[in-house]
Amino acid sequence: MSNEYHFDTQQIHAGAVPDPTTGARQVPIYQTTAYVFRDADHAARLFALKELGYIYSRLNNPTITALQDRITALEGGAGTVCCASGHGAQFMAMFPLMSPGKNIVASTRIYGGSMQQFTNSFRKFGWGAKAVDFTNLDAIKAAIDENTRALFCETLANPAGDILELPEIAKIADAAGIPLVVDNTSATPWLCRPIEYGATLVVHSMTKYLTGNGTVMGGSITDSGKFNWSASDKFPSLSEPEPAYHGLKFYEAFGPLAYTFYGIAVGLRDLGIPLNPQAAHYTLMGIETLSLRMAKHVENATKVATWLEKNPHISKVNYAGLPSSPFYERIQRLTPRGAGALFTFHVKGGYDACVKLVDNVKLFSHVANLGDTRSLIIHPASTTHSQLSPEQLVAAGAGPDVVRVSIGIEDPADIIADLDQALTAASA
Ligand SMILES: *Cc1c(COP(=O)(O)O)cnc(C)c1O
């Protein structure tokens, strides 16, 4: 598919051609585990990566390949690997880079589940994680040591939708000879393409805006193809003969696709967390309307945040799309189409009023999700972020008086009316 096409065209066409056998126009769900080899030589060539093709759906599947190619086009990368969930994608993203004793430096402002995964579960593999305030560039530099193998942050950071100075953070990663991994879940490539700001790897929870309607789980990792994995001895899985793949030197053999091929041939093969073809199909269909949905999400979120800022029950609204936000200038520069639709606000009544608020909404759904067509609400301190310490809660922008909303694409008047009645009830 031509890279000349614009975003709105690529979100529908990239990665998809009419099915060569049937002419099916929509990408079929290839519901199969295995693929018949033409002959023994063909099978041997596929296993040796001398020829590309389908072997077994733990590694690849045509429906998933179409999705991978579409995300690659939208993010402006070299290759993409999809897997079972966003958390799976984060694990897959680090897998080629890490070994026991190595660490990552991660922003404190990330999805609570990601912090949990990094600080506790990664440790079981001997992978360390240092949490740093990424708005402080000197703190990032100070945290990097000779065992650091990646920086990790979010574009529009969870839960308050702040935006970081990505180009400066990419320069720090560059100077240290390590990749910057950006979770682009809440921005989506329509609002921000982190590779253009110097990111090496972009991960998504496709569960959210890419699929867009709360139907299936999925994750993706897109590689820019620009990182030189042989520039140092830091990334032996990619630069040295890989024992997990009969001594293949991935970077020498595949250049800009080395990381992607490693992710499929070793990562998916051994971690065993593939996406399923039906989920890939839902996500492909979701992506077809990504730009339309994101524009409406942003428009609605701006209206709701503006209304909330004037509401007497609210002490503060953290939405980078509001002129009162310290991130407003950065948004105009880095994501000029808007600040997304995920933000937080502080309720004057504190913890108790927040709990009452989520109990009194009618149109909003009280769920642990974001990026749905529906408006969603949650109180992070009692749910998604409840495993964090009080200090971590505040550092993550999820103190006891904070409510997070993911604004949907309903009529904004109905969204505002629902918050109005629930806030009145919560403050009574
Ligand atoms: C939801 C989410 C994840 C985890 O993704 P799952 O698909 O739920 O595994 C990671 N990062 C961000 C920003 C998310 O919103």
Side-chain angles (χ1 to χ4, degrees):
M1 156 109 198
S2 165
N3 283 332
E4 305 295 303
Y5 286 118
H6 296 93
F7 192 98
D8 285 7
T9 308
Q10 285 192 322
Q11 73 183 359
I12 297 169
H13 291 280
V17 291
D19 181 64
T21 311
T22 62
R25 179 59 271 200
Q26 188 50 279
V27 178
I29 302 173
Y30 286 91
Q31 198 66 63
T32 183
T33 19
Y35 307 83
V36 177
F37 306 121
R38 287 195 301 273
D39 52 33
D41 179 55
H42 178 223
R45 290 179 59 77
L46 291 181
F47 274 90
L49 295 180
K50 294 203 168 106
E51 181 179 331
L52 297 184
Y54 297 101
I55 298 176
Y56 188 58
S57 286
R58 173 153 34 80
L59 307 171
N60 53 6
N61 169 288
T63 316
I64 295 165
T65 301
L67 173 60
Q68 289 173 165
D69 291 349
R70 187 163 302 172
I71 294 173
T72 300
L74 297 181
E75 287 289 359
T80 297
V81 184
C82 286
C83 63
S85 69
H87 270 3
Q90 288 167 193
F91 191 30
M92 287 274 301
M94 298 305 170
F95 181 65
L97 315 177
M98 300 292 277
S99 58
K102 309 304 180 213
N103 67 68
I104 62 170
V105 174
S107 164
T108 45
R109 289 162 203 240
I110 57 175
Y111 182 68
S114 303
M115 189 55 84
Q116 181 62 30
Q117 182 190 40
F118 294 168
T119 50
N120 291 313
S121 290
F122 274 16
R123 191 179 298 161
K124 296 194 174 190
F125 300 93
W127 305 355
K130 303 184 203 178
V132 169
D133 177 359
F134 267 42
T135 58
N136 180 347
L137 299 177
D138 289 331
I140 306 176
K141 286 182 205 157
I144 297 173
D145 64 30
E146 77 274 10
N147 288 320
T148 303
R149 290 295 174 270
L151 300 185
F152 183 96
C153 65
E154 293 179 5
T155 318
L156 295 177
N158 209 309
D162 310 336
I163 187 157
L164 294 167
E165 195 57 67
L166 286 179
E168 294 303 320
I169 297 169
K171 277 185 210 153
I172 295 173
D174 244 16
I178 55 175
L180 169 63
V181 186
V182 177
D183 181 338
N184 201 28
T185 298
S186 26
T188 82
W190 190 71
L191 289 176
C192 182
R193 292 164 28 120
I195 289 171
E196 290 174 357
Y197 295 130
T200 299
L201 302 168
V202 178
V203 297
H204 276 279
S205 167
M206 304 192 299
T207 315
K208 315 292 170 49
Y209 291 104
L210 291 187
T211 304
N213 44 32
T215 44
V216 291
M217 307 293 300
S220 68
I221 311 104
T222 300
D223 177 25
S224 69
K226 291 178 186 156
F227 196 88
N228 180 354
W229 302 107
S230 294
S232 73
D233 59 3
K234 288 189 159 117
F235 304 103
S237 294
L238 297 164
S239 63
E240 297 300 314
E242 172 54 59
Y245 217 90
H246 47 73
L248 186 66
K249 286 176 139 183
F250 276 83
Y251 192 49
E252 191 178 283
F254 303 115
L257 283 171
Y259 179 92
T260 300
F261 280 16
Y262 189 93
I264 294 170
V266 182
L268 285 179
R269 185 196 66 184
D270 293 353
L271 300 176
I273 47 170
L275 187 65
N276 66 78
Q278 187 146 5
H281 179 75
Y282 281 120
T283 304
L284 278 165
M285 294 216 286
I287 291 176
E288 291 187 356
T289 57
L290 181 64
S291 65
L292 308 179
R293 285 185 288 109
M294 290 313 291
K296 178 75 171 162
H297 277 296
V298 168
E299 185 188 321
N300 280 2
T302 308
K303 284 187 181 149
V304 175
T306 305
W307 177 83
L308 277 170
E309 201 167 41
K310 295 189 203 114
N311 187 286
H313 304 301
I314 304 299
S315 53
K316 188 161 178 257
V317 179
N318 304 302
Y319 181 54
L322 290 175
S324 59
S325 165
F327 299 100
Y328 187 71
E329 174 278 329
R330 210 175 274 169
I331 287 286
Q332 313 310 309
R333 193 159 39 82
L334 297 179
T335 67
R337 280 172 166 160
L342 180 73
F343 65 89
T344 59
F345 54 87
H346 297 245
V347 182
K348 281 183 185 160
Y351 192 99
D352 293 343
C354 291
V355 172
K356 277 195 207 153
L357 171 62
V358 296
D359 276 344
N360 276 287
V361 288
K362 296 192 171 78
L363 179 63
F364 273 80
S365 305
H366 179 202
V367 296
N369 193 18
L370 60 98
D372 198 326
T373 48
R374 293 154 195 79
S375 289
L376 313 175
I377 191 165
I378 198 156
H379 178 224
S382 59
T383 55
T384 50
H385 289 61
S386 61
Q387 282 147 15
L388 303 187
S389 68
E391 300 76 46
Q392 282 177 315
L393 276 181
V394 173
D401 62 336
V402 172
V403 169
R404 186 189 80 183
V405 284
S406 168
I407 300 299
I409 58 176
E410 303 100 334
D411 190 302
D414 295 331
I415 302 173
I416 289 173
D418 191 38
L419 284 175
D420 195 14
Q421 66 78 21
L423 277 169
T424 305
S427 310

